Amino acid sequence: STTQETCSISTTTTTNNTSLSIENGDQVQKKAPRRFVGRKKAENDNQTNTTTGLHHDDGGVTGTSVDNSSSLVPRKPKVFKPKGNFAQQIPQDILDNKELKEAIAQLPKNYNFEIQKTIWRIREAKSTRVALQFPEGLLLYASVISDILERYAEVETIIMGDVTYGACCVDDYTARALGADFMVHYAHSCLVPIDVNKIKMLYVFVDIQIDLTHFIETVRFNFPPGTKLALVSTIQFAASLQVAKQELSDSYPNLIVPQAKPLSPGEILGCTSPKIDPSLDIHALIYLGDGRFHLESIMISNPFLPSYRYDPYNKVFSIEKYDTAQMHNIRLEAIQQAKTAKRYGIILGTLGRQGSPDILDRLKTRITSIGKEYVTVLLSEISPSKLSLLSSSEPEQTNKEPIDVWIQIACPRLSIDWGYAFTRPLLNPYEATVALGLADWR
């Protein structure tokens, strides 16, 4: 969530420094000992005790002087206060709007689209045109959400219908080119920070409520108490994952929720997942979510861990396998083929924020330095049929060598998952650096 939160440390001052104890049936009032005294009081106590020989309650010897240099002076407690006005609360007129509540009720009740917060943020930004970006699975709700925002936030909305695969597909450049002054991106986390985007941005994670009790009981049924477990999920179930951790911590004290920053604890992406320290001796990895794309990411990073998947929709708990050795062999074979290539095709992904011009420049410089040729292609989506046309159409007209190898600067999983479907080797940036001698194979 992009809404800023501030934590303040409150200081509780005890005004009554006395306590009651019962001795022989009578209540005896005892004065609580003071551990820290001010410098001025310490000096006064020192002078009084030296002249009168009073005995300290804390065991001091009668007539002993106090060393002023060692007196502990209490400091004022630090209270962290927000700078300026930080009234980050949705106005009551939005929360109490009955018509708005009825409109929101048209959306699935277990999906939190944060409509009221979105309206408030749009009003606060004084926006006039808002771009809405959804992944494929949520596009069916786009028109309803668009109508709600246009009516209650009084703005024009643009539904961006291009494919959105993940958090890297945030298309703030297109939104700005269309004249939008605000953008709402649904169902992905803030992989691209809001201070980097070229437009005012709100990330809505779309938290999905599930039968969490069934998930917790499933874990308890399948794993004996004390088993060392690791829990991960997608951003939609990150909140549920934290609740599950609290409920399971008594039976599984060594349970962990790993984190790969800047992602939230337990959150994984198809291209980004935490590497779990083998010394923790985790016995099993449990993924809360549907599909295998995200799960395979952490399975590739942690091939030594037995993996399980709990699908919150059909409530099926399954054992999952991934042949890491076979994947490595296939990718290494593609790298070896690329080493003998004479001409490279470099694809810069233009889908959202996928492509990196810096990586493109580095690869171009390296290919030129070893005396080979390259051609640069801009593509939003990479498919075998399109690359097949590009690989074979040019040589006859230009008398140049055909493209022997493609390097895609877009999604690393595209090469790993679908590289076999292309007629020419398709390398991701890391594999390309290995083929060009810039890095060692690991």
Side-chain angles (χ1 to χ4, degrees):
S1 172
T2 57
T3 303
Q4 296 178 344
E5 302 290 345
T6 300
C7 298
S8 62
I9 302 175
S10 60
T11 304
T12 303
T13 304
T14 304
T15 57
N16 184 5
N17 63 348
T18 61
S19 60
L20 293 176
S21 63
I22 299 177
E23 294 182 5
N24 299 326
D26 298 327
Q27 289 186 343
V28 181
Q29 196 171 39
K30 290 186 177 182
K31 189 173 182 179
R34 293 187 57 153
R35 297 186 59 191
F36 302 97
V37 297
R39 185 178 299 279
K40 184 177 290 185
K41 188 177 187 306
E43 292 175 351
N44 293 337
D45 289 348
N46 178 31
Q47 184 177 0
T48 303
N49 294 338
T50 303
T51 56
T52 61
L54 294 178
H55 193 284
H56 289 277
D57 289 338
D58 58 359
V61 180
T62 302
T64 302
S65 62
V66 178
D67 183 4
N68 292 334
S69 63
S70 62
S71 299
L72 297 176
V73 181
R75 297 179 179 178
K76 292 183 179 180
K78 292 183 178 180
V79 179
F80 297 93
K81 297 180 179 180
K83 296 181 180 180
N85 185 11
F86 201 80
Q88 297 289 337
Q89 294 183 356
I90 301 174
Q92 207 63 35
D93 65 304
I94 296 178
L95 295 175
D96 296 339
N97 191 315
K98 293 183 179 179
E99 290 186 358
L100 176 58
K101 290 181 180 179
E102 292 176 357
I104 295 174
Q106 305 304 311
L107 298 168
K109 293 183 179 180
N110 62 323
Y111 283 56
N112 184 9
F113 288 99
E114 302 185 53
I115 300 295
Q116 294 167 322
K117 171 185 169 182
T118 304
I119 294 172
W120 167 55
R121 290 292 303 277
I122 292 173
R123 289 182 182 178
E124 189 181 47
K126 298 180 180 179
S127 299
T128 58
R129 180 177 292 180
V130 178
L132 308 177
Q133 189 177 25
F134 299 85
E136 297 276 306
L138 295 179
L139 271 176
L140 70 162
Y141 307 117
S143 295
V144 177
I145 294 175
S146 173
D147 290 343
I148 293 174
L149 295 181
E150 287 193 349
R151 178 172 181 179
Y152 296 97
E154 298 180 350
V155 292
E156 178 187 359
T157 60
I158 302 171
I159 299 174
M160 304 178 69
D162 286 340
V163 64
T164 302
Y165 292 114
C168 58
C169 299
V170 176
D171 204 354
D172 52 319
Y173 288 108
T174 300
R176 189 177 64 169
L178 293 172
D181 52 11
F182 195 94
M183 182 174 180
V184 185
H185 183 88
Y186 291 91
H188 296 116
S189 59
C190 317
L191 185 64
V192 181
I194 57 174
D195 57 349
V196 174
N197 289 309
K198 302 300 181 181
I199 191 174
K200 292 180 181 178
M201 174 76 68
L202 174 65
Y203 286 90
V204 176
F205 295 160
V206 191
D207 179 71
I208 300 176
Q209 300 298 315
I210 62 172
D211 186 353
L212 195 55
T213 301
H214 186 272
F215 170 67
I216 293 172
E217 293 304 318
T218 299
V219 174
R220 287 176 173 161
F221 180 81
N222 286 276
F223 300 97
T227 305
K228 296 180 180 180
L229 303 174
L231 302 182
V232 295
S233 70
T234 58
I235 191 63
Q236 283 73 42
F237 308 108
S240 298
L241 197 72
Q242 298 303 320
V243 176
K245 177 188 176 184
Q246 296 177 1
E247 294 293 327
L248 293 168
S249 59
D250 291 341
S251 301
Y252 307 94
N254 294 313
L255 184 149
I256 66 170
V257 177
Q259 181 180 14
K261 295 182 179 181
L263 305 183
S264 301
E267 180 192 359
I268 57 175
L269 302 178
C271 61
T272 308
S273 57
K275 187 172 180 62
I276 300 174
D277 188 351
S279 65
L280 295 176
D281 192 27
I282 298 299
H283 300 152
L285 170 72
I286 301 176
Y287 167 68
L288 172 60
D290 60 320
R292 276 181 54 99
F293 180 70
H294 295 85
L295 172 60
E296 287 177 354
S297 171
I298 195 167
M299 293 174 72
I300 292 171
S301 298
N302 303 274
F304 59 90
L305 274 180
S307 300
Y308 301 82
R309 174 168 61 97
Y310 177 85
D311 190 320
Y313 300 112
N314 57 27
K315 297 183 180 180
V316 171
F317 189 63
S318 57
I319 301 173
E320 302 294 335
K321 302 287 186 180
Y322 188 89
D323 196 337
T324 306
Q326 183 185 37
M327 182 270 290
H328 284 167
N329 291 334
I330 293 174
R331 300 316 306 153
L332 187 57
E333 181 180 352
I335 292 172
Q336 295 299 333
Q337 293 180 28
K339 289 181 178 180
T340 61
K342 295 180 179 180
R343 195 159 185 249
Y344 294 85
I346 308 177
I347 303 169
L348 182 66
T350 59
L351 185 63
R353 291 280 190 146
Q354 281 190 345
S356 171
D358 291 339
I359 295 177
L360 174 63
D361 291 340
R362 185 185 180 196
L363 292 175
K364 287 162 60 176
T365 301
R366 178 58 179 172
I367 292 173
T368 302
S369 68
I370 60 177
K372 296 185 179 182
E373 297 180 354
Y374 66 84
V375 59
T376 304
V377 179
L378 304 182
L379 281 178
S380 60
E381 289 193 75
I382 303 170
S383 65
S385 58
K386 188 169 293 186
L387 293 194
S388 178
L389 291 173
L390 291 171
S391 299
S392 58
S393 62
E394 187 179 337
E396 297 178 359
Q397 289 83 8
T398 62
N399 294 322
K400 287 185 175 290
E401 294 290 336
I403 295 175
D404 301 310
V405 173
W406 288 100
I407 302 172
Q408 55 92 8
I409 309 172
C411 175
R413 286 289 298 276
L414 179 62
S415 297
I416 294 173
D417 295 351
W418 300 100
Y420 66 89
F422 293 81
T423 57
R424 304 284 162 75
L426 180 69
L427 308 185
N428 59 39
Y430 165 69
E431 294 168 345
T433 58
V434 175
L436 295 171
L438 294 175
D440 295 327
W441 169 256
R442 293 185 295 172

